[in-house]
Amino acid sequence: MSVGRGRRRLAAVALNLILPGLVSSGCGERTPREPPPKKAAHAKPAKLSEKLDKNGTTIVVGNTKAPVTVHLYEDPRCPVCQDFEVTGGGPALRVMTQRGEAKTEYTLASFLDQRAGGGGSKRAVNALRAALEAGKFAEYHAVLYRYQPAEAVDGYTDALLLKLAGKVAGLRGPAFDSAVKTMRYREFVDRSERAYERAGGDDPRGPGTPTAVVNGLQVPEQYYGVLFDRRLFTQFLKAIRNQPGQWSS
């Protein structure tokens, strides 16, 4: 059994103990994402609400009254964050956010620039803040992780960030391009990193990325594997929606 699959199985067993009925037979295997509901011909998905929280560092995507809130701590250069966003629970979370079943909050860190060298994380966080200003944060965030460069090469250059922005309809323009080239949101980048570090509590390095806090409770290490299994993560969030008291206790 692979380490990843073993971790997912352990997460499934642990979660079943605290949220009975969460896991059906065969859980913990990597399976395709649940298909979205059928839409009428030519129907377009509703535009997601995107805003900067009053604390000045949290980016909130989705219906603010959704019954499940997932707060993510991520660094754009983090390859494990890419695992979550591209092949793990991230796509399932985006579907649930689109449906109004969950809302997603983001605290964007940039500590990997110091650890790995370079400035790609800071440039990417700045570009994501510029995308929020244009109402395109969620789309651009998904694109950046899909095309994430190798962590060691510091590949989030201005040129790449602008090129990837071209994959998001309506994002490129004088305001966005200038914000990327001039690091217009440098202050936001620094504040976000400090918010990430504070979230670590006694550990000044921060909680690690990715970290998920669901309805105010951090997903603990023994359940960490649930983040990387699309089907199990969907079941997990739906169980919390249906049994909020069980999770909070």
Side-chain angles (χ1 to χ4, degrees):
M1 184 189 305
S2 69
V3 174
R5 180 170 295 177
R7 175 178 282 181
R8 288 192 295 273
R9 285 189 181 279
L10 289 173
V13 171
L15 287 167
N16 200 33
L17 292 174
I18 62 167
L19 296 173
L22 167 65
V23 183
S24 60
S25 61
C27 65
E29 299 294 334
R30 186 172 294 281
T31 57
R33 164 175 53 153
E34 291 181 354
K38 293 183 179 180
K39 301 174 184 175
H42 308 299
K44 293 182 179 180
K47 181 175 174 56
L48 282 174
S49 168
E50 302 179 353
K51 67 176 184 178
L52 185 65
D53 191 73
K54 60 184 179 181
N55 64 18
T57 58
T58 302
I59 294 173
V60 183
V61 178
N63 183 355
T64 57
K65 296 182 180 180
V68 177
T69 299
V70 180
H71 192 120
L72 296 172
Y73 294 85
E74 297 180 325
D75 187 307
R77 289 176 70 178
C78 170
V80 188
C81 294
Q82 184 192 47
D83 290 345
F84 169 77
E85 290 290 350
V86 177
T87 61
L93 178 57
R94 286 193 288 275
V95 169
M96 292 185 67
T97 301
Q98 183 70 56
R99 292 174 177 170
E101 298 172 0
K103 73 173 181 287
T104 311
E105 300 176 343
Y106 299 87
T107 296
L108 302 172
S110 50
F111 65 90
L112 284 174
D113 284 350
Q114 183 174 1
R115 295 189 190 179
S121 288
K122 290 183 173 63
R123 288 189 292 268
V125 172
N126 173 73
L128 284 164
R129 176 64 181 85
L132 175 66
E133 202 68 18
K136 301 288 184 177
F137 171 84
E139 294 174 76
Y140 189 51
H141 175 270
V143 168
L144 288 193
Y145 276 110
R146 182 179 177 188
Y147 295 96
Q148 183 191 66
E151 177 186 350
V153 302
D154 191 31
Y156 279 132
T157 62
D158 288 351
L160 180 62
L161 291 166
L162 293 172
K163 178 180 179 181
L164 294 179
K167 296 181 180 294
V168 179
L171 179 55
R172 289 293 301 270
F176 176 83
D177 290 10
S178 175
V180 170
K181 294 175 181 176
T182 64
M183 281 290 291
R184 178 175 299 165
Y185 298 102
R186 186 185 302 273
E187 184 180 350
F188 169 81
V189 174
D190 294 340
R191 288 200 314 268
S192 294
E193 171 60 22
R194 291 194 295 270
Y196 165 76
E197 292 168 0
R198 288 195 299 271
D202 294 335
D203 189 341
R205 297 172 300 176
T209 57
T211 287
V213 177
V214 182
N215 284 5
L217 295 176
Q218 182 174 325
V219 177
E221 184 178 356
Q222 63 265 38
Y223 311 147
Y224 191 64
V226 75
L227 300 180
F228 303 96
D229 186 291
R230 197 174 301 187
R231 180 181 177 184
L232 184 56
F233 192 63
T234 301
Q235 292 176 311
F236 171 50
L237 295 183
K238 288 183 176 180
I240 291 175
R241 180 193 64 193
N242 296 331
Q243 305 176 55
Q246 187 123 1
W247 173 245
S248 64
S249 64

